[in-house]
Amino acid sequence: MSTATTEPLAKPGDRPGAAPGTAAPLDLAELTGLRTVPARHPWRWAAGLATVVVLAQFAHGLATNPGWDWATFRLFFTADAILRAVGRTVELTFYGTVLGFLIGAVVAAMRLSRSAILQTVAWAYVWVFRSIPLIVQLVFWFNLSYLYKRFGFGIPFGPTFGDVETVGVLGALGAAVLGLGLHQAAFAAEIIRGGVIAVDPGQREAAAALGVPRWRQAWRIVLPQAMRGILPAAANEVISLFKGTSVVYVMAIGELFYQVQVVYGRTGRVVPMLMVATVWYVLLTTVLSIGQYYVERYFARGADRTPPPTPLQRVRALVRGLRARTATAATTGGRS
């Protein structure tokens, strides 16, 4: 017994190349008689070409203009005096950041408290220290011994048990760290407060309904979520503080910009020495930006379960792919 298969007969509406009984996709070019062409963006290409030309001219000037004096740049870029100044700049940034965010966290907690007195004092602190320029604050703290010759320790408005000279406690470096830290604290307080109030109040309400203690609510629930909003602005403030340390040159502290000024004041090589400072600032800012990227990635785990690969992971994946293709080509070539 034999079996036969039947195929659906072609219909008048069927198109060539399509299965019988089915309609082929419509071709708009056939229906309208118009040819589809890709969109062209001549002005976009012109702007890109002009940008490339300008960058090429700038790079050519960097390479050929003798005024840049790259020989002097290479001579002083890794000089001992410059490296010590870079270390002092990093030191000022570290101390100012730690002091600023410690005080800022306290001020932010005061502004978020239910005490009218604490809220008012914290608001006044932020108002004053954000209003006064950093250089004015530094000069004021540097001359604090003019107002207070000695610091005393004892009962407020009562007897003093001991005192020390202000100059001995608050020298140039101490005044710089204090000024940078207090200035940074005003901005850090607002950054922290903004990150905390951005967290959905329902998170705290749910935690309170479950009986979670208040300190645990803040540490384990509110703060990890607030960090996603705090970190970008906080990193920007740290980078601004790192560059702002150049202001302490008025106190004759040997940070990077001050040391560069000393060198070009002695040699007269202003442009190459400014390039030395510029490149060091760019390098250290890049390191801070890389650290910011990985810290933000760490705190984003709760919101993004599958974060995109890091640049290092992408490079590793590219290397593995190239190795796999090379091995496959070698195997195929051996077989042939």
Side-chain angles (χ1 to χ4, degrees):
M1 181 178 181
S2 62
T3 59
T5 58
T6 60
E7 296 181 355
L9 298 177
K11 298 179 180 179
D14 293 344
R15 293 180 178 271
T22 61
L26 296 177
D27 190 347
L28 295 179
E30 294 181 5
L31 294 176
T32 62
L34 300 176
R35 184 168 59 91
T36 303
V37 296
R40 295 182 176 89
H41 304 280
W43 291 111
R44 183 185 301 176
W45 284 99
L49 181 61
T51 303
V52 171
V53 170
V54 171
L55 292 177
Q57 287 182 321
F58 180 71
H60 180 265
L62 286 177
T64 59
N65 191 334
W68 292 104
D69 196 359
W70 294 112
T72 302
F73 173 86
R74 290 190 296 270
L75 178 64
F76 285 98
F77 184 71
T78 55
D80 292 339
I82 297 298
L83 293 179
R84 287 194 298 270
V86 170
R88 180 55 56 87
T89 299
V90 174
E91 182 182 3
L92 288 171
T93 304
F94 175 77
Y95 290 142
T97 300
V98 172
L99 181 62
F101 277 90
L102 285 177
I103 299 176
V106 175
V107 175
M110 292 170 62
R111 289 210 63 185
L112 293 171
S113 70
R114 298 179 181 179
S115 171
I117 296 176
L118 295 181
Q119 289 181 7
T120 303
V121 171
W123 179 87
Y125 176 90
V126 173
W127 170 58
V128 169
F129 281 89
R130 286 199 308 183
S131 302
I132 304 175
L134 176 58
I135 190 170
V136 176
Q137 297 183 41
L138 292 173
V139 174
F140 174 82
W141 295 115
F142 186 61
N143 292 277
L144 187 63
S145 59
Y146 175 78
L147 294 175
Y148 303 99
K149 303 296 183 183
R150 306 182 70 85
F151 282 141
F153 305 94
I155 300 174
F157 307 104
T160 301
F161 304 128
D163 55 20
V164 295
E165 291 187 357
T166 303
V167 177
V169 175
L170 199 64
L173 183 60
V177 171
L178 182 62
L180 292 172
L182 294 177
H183 178 78
Q184 185 75 5
F187 295 91
E190 290 299 283
I191 292 172
I192 295 172
R193 186 177 69 90
V196 171
I197 63 178
V199 178
D200 187 358
Q203 299 284 332
R204 291 188 289 270
E205 294 173 1
L210 294 174
V212 180
R214 292 182 62 87
W215 67 269
R216 191 172 181 82
Q217 294 177 28
W219 185 255
R220 301 293 296 179
I221 298 175
V222 176
L223 186 59
Q225 298 181 70
M227 288 297 290
R228 296 190 64 212
I230 292 173
L231 280 173
N236 286 337
E237 280 302 312
V238 173
I239 292 174
S240 297
L241 178 64
F242 168 70
K243 295 180 293 184
T245 56
S246 60
V247 180
V248 305
Y249 78 92
V250 298
M251 305 166 70
I253 297 177
E255 50 80 42
L256 179 58
F257 185 63
Y258 176 83
Q259 194 61 44
V260 164
Q261 284 183 308
V262 170
V263 174
Y264 74 60
R266 186 176 67 247
T267 62
R269 304 293 187 177
V270 179
V271 173
M273 294 310 302
L274 289 178
M275 287 302 298
V276 168
T278 299
V279 174
W280 271 115
Y281 281 126
V282 170
L283 289 176
L284 294 176
T285 302
T286 302
V287 173
L288 292 175
S289 300
I290 293 174
Q292 172 191 354
Y293 171 79
Y294 282 99
V295 173
E296 287 184 8
R297 182 183 174 87
Y298 174 80
F299 281 99
R301 293 177 303 169
D304 192 355
R305 299 299 180 89
T306 57
T310 64
L312 183 59
Q313 291 173 341
R314 293 178 181 177
V315 171
R316 290 176 178 175
L318 178 61
V319 171
R320 286 196 297 267
L322 292 175
R323 289 178 178 176
R325 284 194 291 270
T326 302
T328 302
T331 304
T332 305
R335 290 178 179 177
S336 61

